[in-house]
Structure formats: C-alpha cells, structure tokens
C-alpha cells in the first residue's frame, strides 16, 4: 500500500549516504575545498542545486563538472595556441589523484578512475581507448557527463 508523506518524512527514510537539502551547499563546498578550479568555473549552480543525491552521486557530479571544465579549457587552449592555459589544465588534472572526494569515492565505484583516465590522456596526449581508439575530444563529454548545460 502506498502512503503519501511530506518531504521531511520522505527524507528521513533515506539512507545515511544521502545528502540532505539543508546540508547540500556545505557538502559541495567541502568537496571543492582542495580542488583547483578552471578559469571561469562557477560553482553556484552546483551549490544551489536542490537534487537529492547520495554522496557518491553528488561527488561524481561535482568532480565531473570540474574535470569537464579543465578538459574544455585544455582543448580551447590547444586550439588557440594558448600554451599557458593548456599547461595549467595539464597540471591541474593530475592533481585529481589527490582530491579528497575522488579518494573517498574510489573504493565505491569506477568514477575516480574515469576522471584519472582523462588526466593521464591530457598529460601524455595519447588517445583514450573505449572499444576503439578515441581522442579526448570524442570521448570526454559523454564519459564525464559534460552536458550542454555545463
């Protein structure tokens, strides 16, 4: 039998891993605390979001947005010959191996490894393998969930 309940009762039935809306902003800020951000990165959308996600999903969303920003900065910089911004991106992405949230998520699933795969590809310039050789440009958006809204 289904029972209609209010939001507070529904949230109280969620597992402890779920980030409650009243702590969402603080959790996102904590996840970003040791993460270098690409030029123009605006965390406000992530902070203000009212989605109910568990910590793994939220960590993937937050780190995915940052990784997308770094990959996109790298691609733009390479296209325009901006060696400073390209180097900045190449140096920032390997630091993802030290981001506390990715280290926390690593034993829980494959997300951290996915981010690190792109960090390695940017540093080495070697293509990503995904059944067939894929360049970073062809593969990063779907793999890191870089939607049109990012």
């Amino acid at each position: 039998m289904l029972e209609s309940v209010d939001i507070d009762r529904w949230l109280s039935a969620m597992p402890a891993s779920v980030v409650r809306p009243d702590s969402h902003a603080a959790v996102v800020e904590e996840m970003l605390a040791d993460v270098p951000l690409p030029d123009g990165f605006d965390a406000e959308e992530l902070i203000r979001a009212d989605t109910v996600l568990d910590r793994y999903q939220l960590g993937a969303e937050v780190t995915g947005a940052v990784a997308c920003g770094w990959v996109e900065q790298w691609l733009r910089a390479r296209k325009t010959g901006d060696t400073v911004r390209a180097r900045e991106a190449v140096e920032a992405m390997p630091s993802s191996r030290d981001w506390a949230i990715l280290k926390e998520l690593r034993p829980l699933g494959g997300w951290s490894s996915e981010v690190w795969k792109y960090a390695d590809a940017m540093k080495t310039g070697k293509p990503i393998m995904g059944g067939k050789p894929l360049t970073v440009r062809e593969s990063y958006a779907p793999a890191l969930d870089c939607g049109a809204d990012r």
Side-chain angles (χ1 to χ4, degrees):
M1 179 169 125
L2 294 177
E3 178 183 347
S4 181
V5 296
D6 65 19
I7 188 73
D8 290 328
R9 187 163 175 203
W10 179 74
L11 286 170
S12 70
M14 294 290 115
S17 62
V18 168
V19 177
R20 296 179 58 98
D22 57 352
S23 63
H24 180 94
V27 171
V28 170
E29 289 172 355
E30 172 251 320
M31 289 177 174
L32 289 172
D34 67 339
V35 175
L37 302 177
D39 291 341
F41 185 85
D42 184 2
E44 277 306 305
E45 187 175 323
L46 293 167
I47 290 168
R48 287 180 310 181
D50 61 358
T51 55
V52 176
L53 300 171
D54 71 17
R55 191 165 168 88
Y56 185 93
Q57 293 167 325
L58 183 57
E61 184 175 289
V62 167
T63 56
V66 173
C68 290
W70 281 121
V71 172
E72 289 163 1
Q73 178 177 317
W74 179 70
L75 291 170
R76 278 191 311 273
R78 286 175 42 125
K79 185 176 184 178
T80 62
D82 186 340
T83 58
V84 172
R85 292 216 194 281
R87 185 176 64 249
E88 183 179 66
V90 168
E91 290 172 358
M93 278 297 285
S95 79
S96 63
R97 292 184 185 280
D98 298 321
W99 299 352
I101 186 59
L102 287 181
K103 287 170 35 172
E104 175 188 329
L105 299 181
R106 184 176 188 199
L108 305 174
W111 178 254
S112 300
S113 296
E114 194 67 20
V115 172
W116 297 335
K117 177 171 67 173
Y118 285 88
D120 293 344
M122 287 168 63
K123 189 173 182 178
T124 65
K126 292 186 179 175
I128 304 293
M129 299 304 286
K132 66 173 186 144
L134 296 174
T135 66
V136 171
R137 181 181 297 278
E138 292 171 325
S139 64
Y140 86 94
L144 296 175
D145 194 25
C146 304
D149 57 332
R150 286 206 182 134

